[in-house]
Amino acid sequence: MASLTFSYRYMLLWFFIVWTPIAYKYFYKSPLTLTVDYEPLHLVKHDLPTVDSTLNDIEPALMNATLFMLCRNKDLIAALSSIQNVEDRFNKRYHYPWTFMNDAPFSKEFINATTEMASSNTTYVQLEQHEWGLPKNLNMNRALQTIRDMTKQRIIYGFSLSYRIMCRFNSGFFYRNSALKDYDYYWRVEPGVIYSCDVPYDPFRLLRDKKKAYGFVVTLPEYPETIRTLWNTTRDFVKKNPHYLAPDNSLDFIVDDEKGLDGEYNGCHFWSNFEIADLNFFRSDAYTDYFEYLDQHFGFFYERWGDAPIHSIAASLFLNKSQIHYFEDFGYYHLPWSHCPSDYLLHANGRCICDPANTVELEYEFCYPRWYYNMRAPDHKLESKV
């Protein structure tokens, strides 16, 4: 009797091993069909406004723009928090599409959760190796020695190769991805950020109507030990390509004492984890040639060049100052800094939940005065700066 019971147990175990996968495959219907290639996955929601329609009797049609997030599956909770925040503060009224990029395939869990959280269409992109990888002819031994040295010196993110790859991607590849090629504007959103004020207007339309190409909210100095040769490399590029320097540039923001290209970079940059920009600025010959020149010098890996100073230096040199917009009315937090509108009416009208006494301008008093000085300075003459 005991041996018979033992046999039945083996038969039952065999049944579950063989038939459970078959039954699962037959009965379970995945809500999404994922591909294994690099083609973007587009998920479409219906009855949304488009660039050809109006939102209501007051709001005009949407701009050709997207909300953009570079993230990984492990960032899901932080990503959902950011999406919910942006939707509540802004996008529930406009329904701009979201574009997500990842260096690995997005999980079904990530796709399902973020699609449900967004009020609009969503696109999911797995980056290709040429976008998220190492440049040709890189001296890997030198790059690894830099990582070892910066790790010993405890330089922020100095230990990380993937951080360097990310900075290179954000500097020269995100805007070339096929998922963004048809858009004119983008709003970069990072996982885990907080927008503490309502955005009661369309910032993309503001950029278009006021002929702006780049918008920021936080500016602060870069860590000088991460960009030791960036300015010299930039200066060499501009001297070889003086036609790219805008006549009314913002050199007085990034260089002190009105010394122009002869001065030293003061480190002031726009914190690029938030930026709303015209993608055609990044696609321009000036920016593209600038990035290619920088990339040939391998500073992302032989040092630790970040995308924030590169975006900022490029905007300061290749755009007229009137093309750069300070979103002073935005409330924004990204660890460890926050910006909160200090103007009473901006704070009240935005229904802000932030303390102006804790804003980054009070922590880093240097770069904001430089920006205000730059905006009030007389127009530069191109001949005196090159």
Side-chain angles (χ1 to χ4, degrees), residues 10 94 102 163 186 209 230 247 259 263 286 311 316 331-332 349 383:
Y10 268 101
Y94 292 90
N102 187 354
Y163 186 86
Y186 98 121
D209 291 348
L230 175 58
K259 293 182 179 179
H311 286 196
S316 297
Y332 180 70
N349 292 339
E383 294 82 1

Side-chain angles (χ1 to χ4, degrees), residues 324-342:
I324 304 175
H325 182 71
Y326 171 29
F327 283 101
E328 185 178 5
D329 53 339
F330 274 48
Y332 180 70
Y333 172 79
H334 181 295
L335 185 73
W337 305 114
S338 64
H339 167 78
C340 187
S342 57

Side-chain angles (χ1 to χ4, degrees), residues 63 185 201-215 278 319-329 346 375:
M63 299 297 294
Y185 298 94
Y201 60 91
D202 187 339
F204 301 120
R205 184 165 293 278
L206 180 147
L207 262 61
R208 200 282 306 270
D209 291 348
K210 295 191 174 183
K211 296 180 172 57
K212 306 289 185 178
Y214 189 89
D278 186 340
L319 296 175
N320 290 315
K321 62 181 68 174
S322 62
Q323 294 177 275
I324 304 175
H325 182 71
Y326 171 29
F327 283 101
E328 185 178 5
D329 53 339
L346 290 179
M375 293 305 292

